[in-house]
Amino acid sequence: MTERSDQKERVGIVVSDKMDKTVVVAVERKTQHPLYKRVITRTSKFKAHDESNECREGDKVKIIETRPISKHKNWAVKEIVERAE
């Protein structure tokens, strides 16, 4: 992967590694409720390309946006930040 500054990066937790060369990463973000002004947590799931199949469930990973790899997959695992225990 080439280094580009305009690519989006996210950090999340691997929730599934059952597919071949693909992991599902849950990314949490905090946002304010529009009416009640309370901070709420929103979760988005991304399918990310893991070429070497080294990610496991529970790992904290950094993913980066790429060109579309398949119908639902346009993110790739950049690095494993923290291993699951």
Side-chain angles (χ1 to χ4, degrees):
M1 309 276 163
T2 59
E3 286 292 324
R4 292 177 52 186
S5 61
D6 58 342
Q7 287 177 318
K8 295 176 188 168
E9 283 189 357
R10 302 280 187 267
V11 176
I13 305 292
V14 176
V15 292
S16 173
D17 63 343
K18 290 176 174 51
M19 294 172 274
D20 186 36
K21 296 188 179 182
T22 304
V23 291
V24 179
V25 181
V27 176
E28 288 188 348
R29 61 186 171 89
K30 299 209 182 284
T31 183
Q32 195 177 48
H33 192 280
L35 177 62
Y36 301 115
K37 309 301 182 204
R38 182 144 184 166
V39 176
I40 52 177
T41 304
R42 296 283 186 201
T43 305
S44 300
K45 288 183 184 176
F46 299 104
K47 289 191 176 80
H49 186 66
D50 179 22
E51 182 64 42
S52 54
N53 274 329
E54 59 186 18
C55 293
R56 296 288 164 249
E57 251 183 72
D59 289 352
K60 183 184 264 189
V61 294
K62 184 180 285 190
I63 57 175
I64 191 166
E65 193 174 38
T66 61
R67 64 178 180 81
I69 299 168
S70 68
K71 183 177 179 180
H72 298 288
K73 191 163 65 164
N74 54 3
W75 293 82
V77 174
K78 185 175 181 183
E79 64 175 306
I80 298 174
V81 178
E82 186 180 315
R83 283 279 184 195
E85 310 217 342

